[in-house]
Amino acid sequence: MGKYTKEDILRLAKEENVKYIRLQFTDLMGIIKNVEIPLSQLPKALDNKMMFDGSSIEGFVRIEESDMYLAPDLDTWVVFPWGTESGKVARLICDINNPDGTPFEGDPRQILKKVLKEANDMGFTSFNVGPEPEFFLFKMNEKGEPTLDFNDQGGYFDFAPLDLGENCRRDIVLALEQMGLEIEASHHEVAPGQHEIDFKYADAVQAADQILTFKLVVKTIARQHGLHATFMPKPMYGVAGSGMHANQSLFRGKENAFYDEKDELGLSETARHYLAGILAHARGFAAITNPLVNSYKRLVPGYEAPCYVAWSAKNRSPLVRIPAARGLSTRIEVRNPDPAANPYLALAVLLKAGLDGIKNKIELPPSVDRNIYVMSDAEREERGIENLPASLKEAVDCLKKDPVICEALGEHALLHFVEAKEIEWDIFRTRVHDWEREQYMNIY
């Protein structure tokens, strides 16, 4: 049984003076979409009878098969802590159904649910995820357009007066808490104008829902402070980019399947095989966890972002780190995802990779406890340390060659995702950029 019934939702809407409801979902690229309805249409929506044109949404369906239906998840009911003069606005996150009521195979939320069912069939009752999304705050000009001026010159864990985003970040946290998210920490990050807010781990679908909610709240509150928030992975050259580290663990009931007190590192065989699966498929899932041309400007040496497929319990240069906490808190931290990723697809491919490691008992390579950034190419090759893809083009090519990750996405989503990303790369590849003019105009 869920937290709410239809009757609960109708009662809460009336009690809280809700006048409009946003039925939210994401397209294949993770962009939030919504159909806003007046309160009078809420009963129809709760009966899954609210229709929309799927042919207008990136990666959904063709124009000749455009009718899709929204199926609200009642447990995602939240009233926004801001409203209109005429009343409050609430939201429900929706799954997407075909006209016959079956799940739409290209719906990112249901793609994640499909992989979660696979985990359930293997005896795991939950896949817990604790995301750590980062973002930048930039000043806006008099037209309300974002500039390239940071709103502060703060650094890691700085506070006012250096951290001028402190009030904005505090208001973001307050809004998120009003909407039911449990915030564990918030702080200034390494780069000027860069911030991180961490929320408590949750089951994967709820965690992905929370990431969407987080993005919407961050952008809304930032604008109220006269600032522009961006989840672009690397908006500025020469400073750290924004990541979205994904802490993850599998549970069997109340037991953390990743913990073994007898192991030297406290990691179970399940955890080791899962981690091995992550490493084995890292190049294959990179296009999903790092989906933009810009994502690969972040994955370079020198900024704590991972470039190499390795793991360690001690240092932060590899792809996967094992945080120190043990017992119920035993987890692995995958460090390459960035906040531009569709959270449903990103968590789906990470879980699929780990499950493949468990199913096939993939052997975990030795940990790499040296700083990989200072190793030579020969040293890395000798230890079998692969590079993550260096470009979106390379990442998409790796995705197409990885049958496990392709299976996670399904034929429909894979086809549309690859097509969109190949177009994105081609537009970037053929565009003449400022750097080229700066380098070549005067010389040649």
Side-chain angles (χ1 to χ4, degrees):
M1 283 290 291
K3 185 167 62 172
Y4 294 127
T5 64
K6 292 179 186 178
E7 291 72 24
D8 290 334
I9 300 296
L10 292 168
R11 175 179 52 79
L12 288 167
K14 187 174 181 181
E15 287 176 358
E16 302 201 44
N17 192 33
V18 170
K19 298 299 183 185
Y20 296 96
I21 299 93
R22 292 183 184 177
L23 304 177
Q24 291 184 340
F25 58 98
T26 71
D27 67 12
L28 202 56
M29 303 307 146
I31 306 301
I32 300 175
K33 304 292 181 181
N34 62 232
V35 175
E36 188 166 271
I37 60 170
L39 181 62
S40 61
Q41 295 298 302
L42 182 56
K44 178 180 176 182
L46 296 177
D47 287 335
N48 300 347
K49 292 179 180 177
M50 194 58 62
M51 190 171 65
F52 73 102
D53 179 6
S55 66
S56 301
I57 305 298
E58 178 79 62
F60 275 25
V61 293
R62 300 169 298 183
I63 197 163
E64 62 267 26
E65 51 189 29
S66 60
D67 289 348
M68 313 290 289
Y69 285 83
L70 296 167
D73 181 337
L74 304 190
D75 288 346
T76 64
W77 170 264
V78 162
V79 178
F80 290 118
W82 57 83
T84 66
E85 291 180 4
S86 57
K88 294 181 181 176
V89 179
R91 77 94 204 272
L92 286 162
I93 295 175
C94 302
D95 292 324
I96 309 299
N97 287 344
N98 296 310
D100 64 0
T102 58
F104 168 50
E105 64 173 340
D107 174 17
R109 200 168 188 262
Q110 304 210 76
I111 287 171
L112 174 55
K113 287 183 176 182
K114 181 183 69 173
V115 184
L116 284 169
K117 184 180 184 306
E118 188 178 330
N120 291 155
D121 292 344
M122 292 171 64
F124 301 107
T125 54
S126 63
F127 173 48
N128 287 339
V129 181
E132 300 177 0
E134 298 169 341
F135 59 95
F136 278 90
L137 293 174
F138 287 94
K139 295 177 182 177
M140 293 198 293
N141 62 23
E142 60 279 0
K143 296 179 182 177
E145 300 165 335
T147 69
L148 296 181
D149 295 329
F150 296 121
N151 79 302
D152 65 50
Q153 292 300 317
Y156 198 52
F157 280 98
D158 272 343
F159 58 91
L162 287 176
D163 178 6
L164 299 179
E166 189 174 8
N167 289 338
C168 177
R169 192 173 65 240
R170 184 183 298 117
D171 286 349
I172 290 168
V173 170
L174 289 171
L176 290 168
E177 288 181 331
Q178 282 181 265
M179 296 174 71
L181 275 73
E182 189 171 342
I183 305 301
E184 291 203 325
S186 73
H187 59 84
H188 200 287
E189 258 297 337
V190 175
Q194 188 184 33
H195 304 268
E196 177 178 315
I197 297 175
D198 305 332
F199 18 104
K200 187 178 180 182
Y201 71 86
D203 191 62
V205 174
Q206 185 184 357
D209 289 344
Q210 289 179 346
I211 291 168
L212 284 192
T213 303
F214 170 79
K215 287 184 173 184
L216 180 66
V217 169
V218 167
K219 285 186 170 289
T220 301
I221 300 296
R223 184 160 284 273
Q224 291 175 4
H225 282 259
L227 299 169
H228 175 75
T230 182
F231 294 95
M232 181 180 177
K234 185 85 167 185
M236 298 291 279
Y237 173 73
V239 299
S242 290
M244 187 174 68
H245 301 167
N247 293 272
Q248 48 203 284
S249 57
L250 285 168
F251 272 66
R252 294 187 185 94
K254 295 183 179 180
E255 172 200 343
N256 186 336
F258 280 7
Y259 178 57
D260 181 355
E261 63 180 4
K262 297 172 187 172
D263 180 76
E264 180 186 4
L265 289 176
L267 296 178
S268 67
E269 281 297 304
T270 297
R272 290 175 176 273
H273 290 317
Y274 184 98
L275 174 48
I278 292 286
L279 299 180
H281 295 288
R283 287 174 56 80
F285 64 59
I288 304 299
T289 54
N290 306 88
L292 305 184
V293 166
N294 181 256
S295 296
Y296 298 86
K297 307 291 177 73
R298 168 181 165 255
L299 301 179
V300 295
Y303 296 98
E304 285 196 9
C307 321
Y308 307 110
V309 182
W311 73 281
S312 174
K314 295 181 179 177
N315 83 73
R316 293 170 182 264
S317 60
L319 172 70
V320 182
R321 185 176 77 92
I322 311 299
R326 290 296 178 267
L328 289 176
S329 298
T330 306
R331 61 194 187 275
I332 71 167
E333 177 188 56
V334 183
R335 298 170 58 80
N336 71 303
D338 67 50
N342 182 320
Y344 301 105
L345 297 184
L347 297 184
V349 296
L350 289 169
L351 177 57
K352 184 74 173 182
L355 293 179
D356 185 61
I358 295 170
K359 280 182 183 176
N360 292 298
K361 293 184 163 43
I362 298 176
E363 187 175 346
L364 182 65
S367 66
V368 179
D369 298 328
R370 275 186 62 202
N371 185 348
I372 306 176
Y373 298 139
V374 301
M375 288 185 186
S376 66
D377 291 347
E379 285 179 295
R380 289 197 300 272
E381 187 174 346
E382 184 182 337
R383 301 196 63 164
I385 300 172
E386 289 188 297
N387 292 356
L388 282 171
S391 69
L392 181 62
K393 172 70 168 68
E394 185 182 351
V396 171
D397 289 344
C398 290
L399 168 62
K400 292 191 289 187
K401 293 174 186 172
D402 191 322
V404 171
I405 304 304
C406 290
E407 183 187 3
L409 296 173
E411 189 176 340
H412 182 102
L414 176 68
L415 176 69
H416 286 84
F417 183 88
V418 167
E419 180 183 38
K421 291 300 156 182
E422 288 180 336
I423 291 170
E424 182 180 337
W425 175 257
D426 211 45
I427 292 171
F428 172 74
R429 181 185 65 82
T430 56
R431 184 74 56 85
V432 178
H433 300 273
D434 287 345
W435 182 89
E436 297 167 88
R437 283 186 280 268
E438 291 168 6
Q439 295 292 315
Y440 306 135
M441 282 279 278
N442 289 332
I443 299 175
Y444 294 101

